[in-house]
Structure formats: structure tokens, C-alpha cells
């Protein structure tokens, strides 16, 4: 009996200390409010544009860190299967919010729908998933991006006093809704000029998956079929650089204005060298900050602040959105991109670009 009492006391005190220990940590987390939210981000690839690894990963990470939330940022490296695997892993690991840059709307939709069915909130980042179910969409005004490209090409053609130039077009990936919006923007500027006989419409092709190497082959073929191309609307800096590389081989770089997008180091260097006419700077920091804010509201079950609604023509729904404003960059204002901290002087002004940077007022 005595032995029994002792063991009961021992058992009680053991249970007591276990309870105390358990409630301690429980008390801690309830004392500091809800559990720390966790946000998963899937980036699309690292080849279609330098931005995803150099800008988006960095600014999203910084925004989540500043907000004190847990996060996991992964890159699907252009592989749709891998994209789905990463999403599954993130959902299993207990993310509260999943942020995706889709590789195409079909696979994007599958991932969004799955997350939704598991109670995970979702955000379309940069690219809208057509027919998808994301609660929010954060991007730039992408038609405005295209408009700046069309106006930029036209400004450079005017500066060069080009006479009835033949304009070639390299569109982005046909599976990227942004590529459609960019094209609406630049065709809105260029089509009236073709109609008026000011410019001649040359070859126009989409580049699958924004593949820079394929863009080079496509442009070589365009030049073969139409050797007098006098201006190129290229939808981003990677495609523009592929075009410039072909023009260099023909010793025609600098004589044919080429556009771009993303203000990549390479694109800005091509502009400083006079080989690229312009790029479009999208302050990814703003896009990332807005995404972090919305993700945190979603994790807390609160409504986020948006500044636009975007119509998903396939899902026939209005998606609450945050859209940031793009800026056109020419040689004269490459400096602004450095001042904004998007690229550093050290990475931009290397080797032969040092003197060009000085000329462009980059100190
Ligand atoms: C983005 C561009 C990028 C392109 C290729 C688009 O959806 O908006 O910034 O250059 O994808 O990655």
C-alpha cells in the first residue's frame, strides 16, 4: 500500500511536470497570438529571365523576413512535374499560403485547386493563372509594359531616322498570359503605324517558354527570310540579347533598335553599349512587398488591400489584384535603376562598361 502511494505520488508529480512543460510552450505560443504563418513560393525557372533568382527570390525573402514569418522559396526550373511536386511538399509541410508563378495555366490551376481543397490560401504572383482559383493576383500593369515597349521602339526608330522600317516581333511564351498582355500593349502602338504605312510589319513569332536559345534560332530564320529587318520588338531582355547576338555576327548591332524588359544587368549593359534601345524596369521590390502583405493578411484570415481587379477571361471572374507601374529605361536613365538599388554599380559597370557607366552618369 505504501509502495503504491509512493508510486502514485511519483506518477502524479511526473504527470504534473509533463503538463507544466507542455503548457509552458503552449502558453508561449498562445501568449504571442496565433502560430507563426508559413508562406511557400514557387518560382518558374532561372533561364527565361535573370529576374526570378536575382530579384524576386531576394526581395520576397527580405519582405517575409521583415514581417517575421516563416517561408520557403523554391524554383521549379521550368519543369511542370517538379512544380507540382514542390507544391505537394509545401502543402504537406503546412504552409498557410502558397504563392505561385505558373509555368502554364493548366498546371498552375491544378496546383491552386489542390491547395484550396487543403485549406491553403493562394496568390498568383506576376502571372495570372487563367481559369485558376487564386484569391489574389499581384503583378505589374502588363499591358502598360507592352505599351512602353511599343513606344520605346518607335522612339528609337525616330531617333535613327529610319525610313519605313520593317519591324520584327518576338513575343513571349504563348502559355504565359503576360505575353498576351505585353503583345496587346505593343501591338496597340505598332498596328496603327503599319496601317498608316509608317512601318512595315515583318515576321512575328512567339518564343516557346521564353527560351532564349530558341529565340536566337528564330531570329536567324527571320533575318534569312527578311534580311532588311530594321527594328525588333523583343518581349524581354533575354530575347533581346539573343537577337543582339545574331545582329553582332552580322555586324549590324547598334543599327537595328531592339527592345527588352526586366532591366537585367545584361539588358542594361546592352543599352549602355548602344546595342539595345530600351528596357522596361519593373520594381520587383514593390511587387514582393505587396505579396508579403497580402500573404500575411491571408494567413491571419484577414482581407488584404488591393488597388485593382483583373478579369480572368477563362474563369470569367474578377480577381482582386495589386498592380504596380512599370518604367521605360533608355541610356539616359539607366542610372535610375542603379539608384533604386535594383542592380549595383559593381555588377553593371565591369570591364568595358566602366567607361560607358561614367558617360551615363553612373557614379
Ligand atoms: C514576366 C517577365 C519575364 C518573363 C520570362 C513574364 O511573365 O512578367 O518579367 O521576363 O515572364 O520569365
Amino acid at each position: 500500500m505504501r509502495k503504491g502511494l509512493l508510486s502514485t505520488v511519483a506518477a502524479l508529480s511526473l504527470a504534473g511536470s509533463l503538463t507544466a512543460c507542455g503548457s509552458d510552450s503552449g502558453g508561449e505560443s498562445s501568449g504571442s497570438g496565433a502560430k507563426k504563418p508559413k508562406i511557400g513560393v514557387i518560382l518558374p525557372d532561372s533561364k527565361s529571365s535573370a529576374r526570378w533568382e536575382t530579384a524576386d527570390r531576394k526581395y520576397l525573402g527580405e519582405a517575409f523576413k521583415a514581417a517575421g514569418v516563416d517561408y520557403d522559396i523554391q524554383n521549379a526550373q521550368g519543369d511542370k512535374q517538379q512544380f507540382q511536386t514542390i507544391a505537394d511538399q509545401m502543402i504537406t509541410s503546412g504552409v498557410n499560403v502558397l504563392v505561385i508563378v505558373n509555368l502554364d495555366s493548366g498546371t498552375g490551376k491544378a496546383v491552386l485547386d489542390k491547395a484550396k481543397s487543403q485549406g491553403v490560401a493562394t496568390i498568383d504572383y506576376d502571372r495570372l493563372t487563367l481559369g485558376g482559383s487564386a484569391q489574389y493576383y499581384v503583378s505589374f500593369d502588363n499591358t502598360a509594359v507592352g505599351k512602353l515597349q511599343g513606344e520605346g521602339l518607335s522612339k528609337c526608330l525616330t531617333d535613327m531616322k529610319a525610313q519605313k522600317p520593317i519591324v520584327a516581333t518576338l513575343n513571349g511564351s504563348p502559355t504565359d498570359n503576360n505575353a498576351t498582355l505585353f503583345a496587346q500593349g505593343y501591338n496597340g502602338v505598332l498596328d496603327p503605324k503599319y496601317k498608316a504605312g509608317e512601318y512595315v510589319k515583318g515576321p512575328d513569332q512567339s518564343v516557346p517558354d521564353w527560351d532564349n536559345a530558341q529565340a536566337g534560332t528564330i531570329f536567324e530564320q527571320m533575318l534569312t527570310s527578311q534580311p532588311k529587318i530594321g527594328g525588333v520588338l523583343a518581349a524581354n531582355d533575354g530575347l533581346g540579347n539573343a537577337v543582339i547576338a545574331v545582329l553582332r555576327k552580322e555586324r549590324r548591332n547598334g543599327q537595328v533598335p531592339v527592345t527588352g524588359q526586366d532591366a537585367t544587368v545584361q539588358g542594361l549593359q546592352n543599352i549602355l553599349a548602344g546595342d539595345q534601345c530600351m528596357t522596361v524596369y519593373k520594381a520587383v521590390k514593390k511587387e514582393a512587398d505587396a505579396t508579403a502583405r497580402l500573404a500575411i493578411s491571408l494567413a491571419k484570415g484577414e482581407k488584404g488591400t488591393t488597388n485593382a481587379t483583373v478579369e480572368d477571361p477563362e474563369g470569367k471572374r474578377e480577381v482582386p489584384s495589386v498592380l504596380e507601374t512599370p518604367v521605360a529605361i533608355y541610356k539616359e536613365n539607366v542610372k535610375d535603376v542603379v539608384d533604386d538599388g535594383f542592380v549595383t554599380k559593381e555588377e553593371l559597370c565591369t570591364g568595358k562598361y566602366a567607361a560607358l557607366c561614367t558617360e551615363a552618369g553612373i557614379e
Side-chain angles (χ1 to χ4, degrees):
M1 182 159 164
R2 204 190 155 104
K3 196 178 165 197
L5 181 68
L6 266 180
S7 54
T8 307
V9 170
L12 275 175
S13 79
L14 184 64
S17 69
L18 273 177
T19 309
C21 177
S23 72
D24 250 346
S25 62
E28 233 169 61
S29 72
S30 61
S32 60
K35 207 170 144 261
K36 225 184 189 188
K38 184 171 177 191
I39 298 156
V41 180
I42 314 179
L43 299 173
D45 65 70
S46 48
K47 288 188 183 155
S48 66
S49 171
R51 66 168 284 185
W52 305 115
E53 283 301 323
T54 63
D56 296 271
R57 180 186 288 278
K58 178 177 95 183
Y59 290 122
L60 284 165
E62 284 173 4
F64 294 140
K65 226 175 264 163
V69 296
D70 285 335
Y71 64 93
D72 180 11
I73 303 175
Q74 293 194 45
N75 191 316
Q77 302 299 356
D79 181 337
K80 289 164 200 164
Q81 194 65 50
Q82 183 62 11
F83 195 96
Q84 275 167 324
T85 306
I86 295 171
D88 288 341
Q89 284 165 355
M90 286 181 171
I91 294 170
T92 310
S93 84
V95 296
N96 309 89
V97 185
L98 184 63
V99 176
I100 69 160
V101 186
N102 73 55
L103 285 171
D104 67 22
S105 284
T107 53
K109 176 180 163 49
V111 161
L112 294 171
D113 288 351
K114 187 158 188 183
K116 192 179 177 190
S117 75
Q118 312 272 320
V120 174
T122 51
I123 298 178
D124 266 335
Y125 181 76
D126 203 72
R127 299 175 180 168
L128 181 69
T129 303
L130 300 179
S133 56
Q135 270 114 316
Y136 291 111
Y137 172 49
V138 182
S139 192
F140 285 79
D141 179 338
N142 291 307
T143 318
V145 170
K147 188 162 177 267
L148 293 177
Q149 293 172 315
E151 290 167 352
L153 183 63
S154 140
K155 173 183 166 348
C156 298
L157 287 167
T158 304
D159 290 352
M160 281 186 165
K161 302 193 167 53
Q163 295 300 313
K164 287 205 173 208
I166 298 171
V167 174
T169 307
L170 279 92
N171 308 291
S173 175
T175 57
D176 180 351
N177 182 56
N178 286 348
T180 309
L181 300 174
F182 301 147
Q184 275 167 17
Y186 50 72
N187 290 331
V189 175
L190 299 176
D191 282 347
K193 297 191 183 284
Y194 300 136
K195 263 195 205 118
E198 215 180 309
Y199 301 163
V200 177
K201 172 119 183 126
D204 180 327
Q205 247 177 276
S206 291
V207 180
D209 302 322
W210 295 90
D211 184 319
N212 294 190
Q214 274 194 66
T217 313
I218 290 172
F219 186 65
E220 261 169 11
Q221 286 161 359
M222 286 180 170
L223 259 192
T224 309
S225 73
Q226 184 48 272
K228 287 190 183 145
I229 287 170
V232 184
L233 192 306
N236 79 358
D237 283 355
L239 306 186
N241 189 63
V243 168
I244 290 164
V246 175
L247 289 171
R248 257 186 216 125
K249 277 196 276 178
E250 308 278 321
R251 304 202 183 287
R252 288 185 63 202
N253 53 308
Q255 295 160 32
V256 178
V258 179
T259 63
Q261 167 178 192
D262 290 343
T264 61
V265 168
Q266 188 175 59
L268 296 171
Q269 288 178 335
N270 283 338
I271 292 177
L272 292 174
D275 291 345
Q276 184 171 327
C277 142
M278 60 88 69
T279 186
V280 177
Y281 171 47
K282 303 195 292 188
V284 173
K285 184 180 187 318
K286 290 189 188 165
E287 194 180 17
D289 286 347
T291 302
R293 274 197 303 275
L294 284 182
I296 289 153
S297 325
L298 283 173
K300 289 185 183 160
E302 290 166 6
K303 227 178 145 235
T305 317
T306 54
N307 68 3
T309 48
V310 169
E311 139 112 14
D312 168 0
E314 217 164 290
K316 304 217 178 341
R317 65 173 187 127
E318 299 283 335
V319 188
S321 307
V322 174
L323 298 184
E324 304 292 347
T325 308
V327 179
I329 300 294
Y330 300 86
K331 205 183 268 185
E332 298 76 52
N333 61 345
V334 167
K335 187 180 177 297
D336 295 353
V337 183
V338 180
D339 290 346
D340 212 28
F342 189 73
V343 300
T344 64
K345 189 192 160 196
E346 287 64 41
E347 54 190 345
L348 181 65
C349 307
T350 52
K352 69 168 184 178
Y353 299 101
L356 295 169
C357 277
T358 310
E359 254 174 62
I362 300 161
E363 294 308 332

